[in-house]
Amino acid sequence: MSSTLDNFDLDALVVGAGPVGLAMAGDLAWRGLRVRIIDKAEKPSTLSKAVVLMPRTLEEFAMRGMAEECMAHGQKMHSFGIHAEGKLIARTEYNHLDSEFNFLLCQPQTTTERILRDRLASFDVPIEWGTELTSYQQDADGVSLTLRKPDGATEELRIPYLLGCD
């Protein structure tokens, strides 16, 4: 077992290296906070659970310098229709939105995650794959927790913030 950090050498631990966790860790690092990110998976998923980025997401990505790369890989969809039994039952248009991104961007989640991982890497924050949060205890001053590393070793930490994004 490794030593416990009880002097808050870390500002936050993010649990989960999917889109939400990657975005959270990237934003914390962007703001100069000391952050770690873990995921119990051994490596990034090769499966996509999502295939569309919404206009507001693209606006947020633009503020972080990521929208251009998304646009290079995605396909714009300005409208779509829902059909049932051969009949159009709903149609949604995005051209009227007051946004630079007045469309949906079709892009596999794997591509979005790669872009988010690249951004996180630009802040020198590695993703600790195969690392699992096994227990935690919160009190008024912070969070004490235990991690299990890929080799089975444990690590105890005391941190101000634990962010569950898994």
Side-chain angles (χ1 to χ4, degrees):
M1 185 178 297
S2 63
S3 64
T4 300
L5 297 174
D6 51 325
N7 59 355
F8 295 138
D9 288 339
L10 186 65
D11 293 308
L13 174 71
V14 175
V15 179
V20 174
L22 292 167
M24 176 64 73
D27 275 5
L28 293 172
W30 182 37
R31 288 171 171 79
L33 298 174
R34 299 162 300 172
V35 62
R36 285 174 64 183
I37 180 170
I38 65 168
D39 198 297
K40 67 181 178 179
E42 297 298 319
K43 60 184 179 181
S45 176
T46 58
L47 305 173
S48 284
K49 298 176 189 172
V51 294
V52 171
L53 294 176
M54 302 299 286
R56 184 64 185 132
T57 300
L58 290 167
E59 290 170 353
E60 289 290 327
F61 278 18
M63 288 188 285
R64 290 157 178 81
M66 297 183 299
E68 198 169 296
E69 186 171 0
C70 288
M71 299 294 291
H73 297 287
Q75 182 175 359
K76 293 179 185 180
M77 184 169 63
H78 291 278
S79 65
F80 71 90
I82 300 171
H83 295 80
E85 298 177 7
K87 294 183 180 182
L88 180 67
I89 60 171
R91 182 168 176 84
T92 302
E93 302 274 344
Y94 291 91
N95 291 330
H96 69 280
L97 293 178
D98 184 22
S99 172
E100 173 185 356
F101 305 100
N102 59 350
F103 50 84
L104 302 179
L105 188 69
C106 296
Q107 171 175 283
Q109 180 175 328
T110 53
T111 301
T112 303
E113 287 182 0
R114 181 192 51 75
I115 292 167
L116 288 164
R117 282 193 308 272
D118 290 349
R119 178 174 182 255
L120 187 59
S122 76
F123 298 113
D124 296 322
V125 178
I127 300 166
E128 298 176 44
W129 295 106
T131 302
E132 182 177 7
L133 172 67
T134 58
S135 66
Y136 69 92
Q137 180 79 33
Q138 180 178 347
D139 59 39
D141 299 319
V143 183
S144 298
L145 57 90
T146 304
L147 303 177
R148 183 179 310 124
K149 305 294 228 155
D151 64 1
T154 60
E155 178 182 4
E156 294 182 359
L157 294 172
R158 178 129 176 95
I159 58 175
Y161 296 101
L162 173 63
L163 301 139
C165 300
D166 54 339

